[in-house]
Amino acid sequence: METAEATAAERPGLRERKKQRTHDALLRAALELFTTQGYEATTVDEIAEAVDVSQRTFFRYFAGKEEAALAIIDLTHEHFVAALRARPAHEAPLEALRNAVLEGWDAMGEAVAQIVPVDLYLRSYGMIESTPALLAAHLRRADEVAREIEAIVAEREGLDVRADPRPRVAVAVFAGVMRVTERLWAMGGDLSMEAMRELTAAHLDALRPSLAEKWRSG
Amino acid sequence: METAEATAAERPGLRERKKQRTHDALLRAALELFTTQGYEATTVDEIAEAVDVSQRTFFRYFAGKEEAALAIIDLTHEHFVAALRARPAHEAPLEALRNAVLEGWDAMGEAVAQIVPVDLYLRSYGMIESTPALLAAHLRRADEVAREIEAIVAEREGLDVRADPRPRVAVAVFAGVMRVTERLWAMGGDLSMEAMRELTAAHLDALRPSLAEKWRSG
DNA sequence: GAGGCTAATGTCAGCCACTGACAGTTGACA
DNA sequence: TGTCAACTGTCAGTGGCTGACATTAGCCTC
């Protein structure tokens, strides 16, 4: 056991490498099929067959179709959380959140590219947005991430989440804006990282004006 | 056709009344079973059997288990949209949203009570929050409602949603805060309308302080 | 480098959500 | 009362997903 893990840290054994390969192959095959013929129209058997494994094996790697479809996005979520943790302590909450997103994207892109082609990753957002079951699962995961972020923000400010509503509200506001951005980006024409960054910045800039009493003068 | 609908407006025929009864019975039975033995643990056959109809009939009334579980909540969403539309034009966007929620609740409660017992409705929120598949579906529906609200807010202010980001951002912020409130309320101990109203007001009041640069002085 | 251990995989049987097709039943309306 | 249309039940089938069991294939030791 210990030997196996120690070895894995340097160079994973054949077994581990094989597992990784199967996992990534299933992931790529799934996304490829989903984005081309549609999520609902793709059966698990098809995915398994494309990788030449049994259906049962697919379910040993992924809890279900949904998880396969959203796995890479989970990856980016993890990267965002890490990026937020790395923000300097002097930044205000919303400032830290904003910087974590805008500056963390390139690293995300690189991490993604090591598993699936970037354009496949980008196209998957369109698929998610236009597939009700998938969008639902995605929103739930985003909600979970929000809870994680609440804790981080609270810790940054030395607050108790259960006593002070501000960490939760701040994260909810941020998550809301990010959701709008995501939706517009995924449904819009330009599925590029630059477009996403610009849209994000624009919507975050619109935050305070949106809360103003009088919109006419703004 | 036309005659049937005209009659239905005054006093629905036997056929219509029967349909309504079956629908409500299925809804109540579903919620009762869901909240007592759990959503996943309840099969559609059980629900159908409880109302003494075939499984096929259940699916003619509801697109699936999810829809049965979330039907009453959809009702409250509709009421909220109506309440927002009824707000005076001079109110600022966030002011109108806030008032629509806080003042619309009683009417919602009454509307709900005509179909299912109120405590069953309240308990269903706890069930949703603790059932991943259901929470996912719920969040997606809330997201759809948000889009509807965006349009209303934009219209109130005479803006084009596609040209000005403020309506979307304002609604996203509001929806985010409502989501936090809902989660805390559903997972907390006090499942009453009063508790919900207080929590909502408290979190909406925390909005501006949460966006402040310095939290320590606040 | 042969054999035992264990993780990974395949096969099979089965549950449940959901759907289309067809037939039987029952309000509605002339 | 008889015809039409809507509502319902039955049946068969698909697809997602799971548990159980047998088989294969890395891994590790002697």
Side-chain angles (χ1 to χ4, degrees):
Chain A
M1 281 286 185
E2 299 131 23
T3 317
E5 282 186 22
T7 316
E10 306 165 359
R11 169 185 289 201
L14 173 58
R15 187 177 263 167
E16 291 300 317
R17 272 180 288 146
K18 234 176 163 178
K19 232 173 34 165
Q20 188 67 41
R21 247 190 299 144
T22 306
H23 177 272
D24 293 356
L26 281 171
L27 196 51
R28 267 191 297 270
L31 283 183
E32 199 65 62
L33 289 168
F34 290 161
T35 52
T36 53
Q37 38 180 261
Y39 176 76
E40 317 270 13
T42 304
T43 67
V44 173
D45 291 280
E46 273 181 289
I47 303 168
E49 197 176 358
V51 184
D52 204 60
V53 297
S54 70
Q55 188 213 51
R56 197 67 182 82
T57 294
F58 172 89
F59 284 111
R60 288 204 176 92
Y61 282 95
F62 301 96
K65 267 173 79 174
E66 280 176 12
E67 207 187 281
L70 303 175
I72 349 99
I73 298 194
D74 276 359
L75 190 69
T76 68
H77 283 165
E78 288 167 17
H79 272 260
F80 171 72
V81 170
L84 178 62
R85 284 215 165 88
R87 294 309 321 176
H90 65 79
E91 292 181 335
L94 277 178
E95 191 186 354
L97 289 166
R98 178 191 179 115
N99 290 336
V101 180
L102 294 179
E103 296 183 18
W105 246 314
D106 293 326
M108 285 186 202
E110 291 174 19
V112 166
Q114 291 188 332
I115 302 184
V116 298
V118 178
D119 84 293
L120 195 53
Y121 163 71
L122 296 175
R123 271 187 291 142
S124 74
Y125 272 96
M127 163 191 80
I128 291 167
E129 209 68 37
S130 54
T131 308
L134 228 42
L135 180 57
H138 173 60
L139 292 175
R140 188 182 62 80
R141 283 156 182 254
D143 190 71
E144 276 176 19
V145 175
R147 286 164 83 158
E148 208 173 333
I149 298 177
E150 286 171 7
I152 297 175
V153 169
E155 195 188 344
R156 281 175 61 94
E157 300 292 320
L159 296 172
D160 180 7
V161 203
R162 322 206 316 164
D164 195 317
R166 289 177 299 172
R168 282 180 168 141
V169 171
V171 171
V173 167
F174 176 76
V177 175
M178 289 305 298
R179 167 66 193 136
V180 176
T181 307
E182 177 186 63
R183 175 158 56 81
L184 293 176
W185 174 72
M187 300 301 279
D190 190 359
L191 270 174
S192 71
M193 294 238 171
E194 294 72 38
M196 183 61 172
R197 209 188 319 253
E198 284 176 26
L199 261 183
T200 305
H203 282 94
L204 286 174
D205 287 340
L207 226 170
R208 283 161 212 288
S210 302
L211 304 184
E213 297 292 327
K214 295 183 180 180
W215 284 15
R216 298 297 164 84
S217 57
Chain B
M1 279 286 186
E2 299 131 23
T3 318
E5 284 185 20
T7 316
E10 305 167 358
R11 169 185 289 202
L14 173 56
R15 185 174 265 168
E16 290 300 317
R17 273 180 287 147
K18 234 177 163 177
K19 233 173 32 165
Q20 187 68 40
R21 248 190 297 142
T22 306
H23 178 273
D24 293 357
L26 281 171
L27 195 51
R28 268 192 297 270
L31 283 183
E32 199 66 62
L33 288 168
F34 290 162
T35 52
T36 52
Q37 36 180 263
Y39 176 76
E40 317 269 13
T42 304
T43 67
V44 173
D45 291 281
E46 274 182 289
I47 303 168
E49 197 177 355
V51 184
D52 205 60
V53 296
S54 71
Q55 189 213 50
R56 197 67 182 85
T57 294
F58 173 89
F59 284 112
R60 288 205 175 92
Y61 281 95
F62 301 96
K65 269 174 79 175
E66 280 177 11
E67 205 186 283
L70 302 176
I72 349 99
I73 298 193
D74 276 359
L75 190 68
T76 67
H77 284 165
E78 288 167 17
H79 272 260
F80 171 72
V81 170
L84 178 62
R85 284 216 166 87
R87 294 273 62 176
H90 65 79
E91 291 181 337
L94 277 178
E95 191 185 356
L97 289 166
R98 178 193 179 115
N99 290 336
V101 180
L102 294 179
E103 295 182 18
W105 245 314
D106 292 327
M108 284 184 202
E110 291 173 18
V112 167
Q114 291 188 332
I115 303 185
V116 297
V118 178
D119 84 295
L120 194 54
Y121 163 71
L122 296 176
R123 270 186 292 142
S124 74
Y125 272 97
M127 165 191 80
I128 290 167
E129 209 67 38
S130 54
T131 308
L134 228 41
L135 180 57
H138 173 60
L139 291 176
R140 187 181 63 81
R141 282 156 183 255
D143 190 70
E144 276 175 19
V145 175
R147 287 164 83 158
E148 207 172 334
I149 299 176
E150 286 171 7
I152 298 175
V153 169
E155 196 188 344
R156 282 175 60 94
E157 301 293 321
L159 297 172
D160 180 7
V161 203
R162 322 207 315 165
D164 196 317
R166 289 176 299 172
R168 281 181 168 139
V169 171
V171 171
V173 167
F174 176 76
V177 175
M178 289 307 297
R179 167 67 193 135
V180 176
T181 308
E182 176 186 64
R183 175 158 58 80
L184 293 176
W185 174 72
M187 299 303 278
D190 189 359
L191 270 174
S192 71
M193 295 237 172
E194 294 74 39
M196 182 62 171
R197 209 187 320 252
E198 284 176 26
L199 261 183
T200 304
H203 281 95
L204 286 175
D205 287 339
L207 226 170
R208 283 161 211 287
S210 301
L211 303 185
E213 296 292 327
K214 294 184 179 181
W215 283 15
R216 299 296 164 84
S217 57

